Amino acid sequence: MQYNMANRKTSKSRRLPCSGYDYEIIVIDDRSPDGTLEVAEQLQNIYGADKIILRPREKKLGLGTAYIHGIKHATGNFVIIMDADLSHHPKFIPEFIQKQREGGFDLVSGTRYSGDGGVYGWDLRRKLISRGANFLTQVLLRPGASDLTGSFRLYKKEVLGQLVKKCVSKGYVFQMEMIVRARQLGYSIGEVPITFVDRVYGESKLGGNEIVSFLKGLLTLFATT
């Protein structure tokens, strides 16, 4: 099996140390203010362009188009989506792979709100926003998954491609719609408890506009699904 580690961002094939899996990392950056591209360029200089592949874009175009951009360059059978700032720790990746293999799931989602999952480093406002958003989605959409707003996930490549085609949302609501559409299409969903740790460097892009956009998207999904 070959895995694409996509940190809204993904890879060229090499053996994942001690795992027996081939993987690739392709980095997709849309002028993020946290300096992601600059760090990725430094890593490319160290490990080589054949191992760290950069696919930057000129401006912020949304998560959906970033996924499409990454899929075009992915050669593996599975794609792992994760943030590149280590808010999503790579130590959970083996658990995602194991979960998928055990259940044959089409999608495995990291959850902060089940089992041993949790969040560290957020202030009260951010926790309330996340919990509130997740609660609203559970009540209105009943998606069959405990964490809809997170983005640490493993997809079968063909499943990811089909879901992206179906989704119309942009911004943070996109992650939620991916789960909702997966349920609609009958795809199986597994969950792995994860610990989300807020970034040490850089600033979150979550603001008032994103919150309003999320609420509009939620109401749209409620009315159409």
Side-chain angles (χ1 to χ4, degrees), residues 57-128:
R57 304 188 297 173
E58 289 301 316
K59 60 181 179 179
K60 186 175 181 179
L61 299 172
L63 287 177
T65 58
Y67 284 10
I68 294 172
H69 194 55
I71 292 172
K72 290 179 180 178
H73 301 285
T75 62
N77 301 316
F78 297 87
V79 177
I80 297 174
I81 307 293
M82 60 189 298
D83 289 344
D85 58 8
L86 294 182
S87 293
H88 297 146
H89 201 291
K91 70 180 181 181
F92 293 109
I93 290 175
E95 296 181 36
F96 278 69
I97 295 173
Q98 180 179 356
K99 186 72 174 183
Q100 193 284 324
R101 296 186 72 181
E102 290 176 351
F105 294 106
D106 297 306
L107 185 167
V108 177
S109 180
T111 176
R112 299 160 292 178
Y113 304 127
S114 180
D116 297 328
V119 175
Y120 296 92
W122 278 358
D123 59 22
L124 181 60
R125 172 183 173 274
R126 186 68 187 272
K127 288 181 179 179
L128 289 175

Side-chain angles (χ1 to χ4, degrees), residues 10-205:
T10 334
S11 89
K12 190 76 176 176
S13 176
R14 60 173 175 144
R15 185 69 62 177
L16 188 64
C18 304
S19 72
Y21 298 113
D22 288 330
Y23 77 98
E24 57 187 14
I25 299 176
I26 302 167
V27 180
I28 301 170
D29 182 79
D30 52 4
R31 292 191 177 275
S32 174
D34 60 10
T36 295
L37 184 59
E38 289 75 12
V39 173
E41 289 172 342
Q42 294 175 26
L43 292 173
Q44 188 180 64
N45 290 334
I46 296 172
Y47 296 105
D50 61 327
K51 297 176 181 178
I52 306 292
I53 300 177
L54 308 183
R55 294 292 183 264
R57 304 188 297 173
E58 289 301 316
K59 60 181 179 179
K60 186 175 181 179
L61 299 172
L63 287 177
T65 58
Y67 284 10
I68 294 172
H69 194 55
I71 292 172
K72 290 179 180 178
H73 301 285
T75 62
N77 301 316
F78 297 87
V79 177
I80 297 174
I81 307 293
M82 60 189 298
D83 289 344
D85 58 8
L86 294 182
S87 293
H88 297 146
H89 201 291
K91 70 180 181 181
F92 293 109
I93 290 175
E95 296 181 36
F96 278 69
I97 295 173
Q98 180 179 356
K99 186 72 174 183
Q100 193 284 324
R101 296 186 72 181
E102 290 176 351
F105 294 106
D106 297 306
L107 185 167
V108 177
S109 180
T111 176
R112 299 160 292 178
Y113 304 127
S114 180
D116 297 328
V119 175
Y120 296 92
W122 278 358
D123 59 22
L124 181 60
R125 172 183 173 274
R126 186 68 187 272
K127 288 181 179 179
L128 289 175
I129 290 173
S130 180
R131 281 284 189 177
N134 204 60
F135 175 76
L136 285 174
T137 57
Q138 295 293 336
V139 171
L140 296 178
L141 303 178
R142 301 190 181 279
S146 62
D147 189 345
L148 273 72
T149 55
S151 59
F152 195 177
R153 296 174 184 166
L154 179 153
Y155 297 88
K156 289 182 179 178
K157 182 182 175 182
E158 66 272 18
V159 169
L160 178 59
Q162 290 299 316
L163 289 175
V164 169
K165 291 178 183 178
K166 293 289 185 180
C167 290
V168 297
S169 304
K170 296 181 180 180
Y172 290 90
V173 75
F174 177 82
Q175 303 292 1
M176 177 178 63
E177 186 178 1
M178 291 284 280
I179 293 289
V180 173
R181 299 299 180 192
R183 182 204 61 189
Q184 278 190 324
L185 295 172
Y187 291 129
S188 57
I189 303 173
E191 291 190 316
V192 170
I194 64 166
T195 301
F196 180 95
V197 180
D198 196 22
R199 64 180 66 185
V200 177
Y201 301 103
E203 297 180 357
S204 171
K205 290 172 281 187

Side-chain angles (χ1 to χ4, degrees), residues 136 139-141 176 180 216-225:
L136 285 174
V139 171
L140 296 178
L141 303 178
M176 177 178 63
V180 173
K216 289 181 178 178
L218 174 59
L219 293 176
T220 298
L221 286 176
F222 176 67
T224 59
T225 59

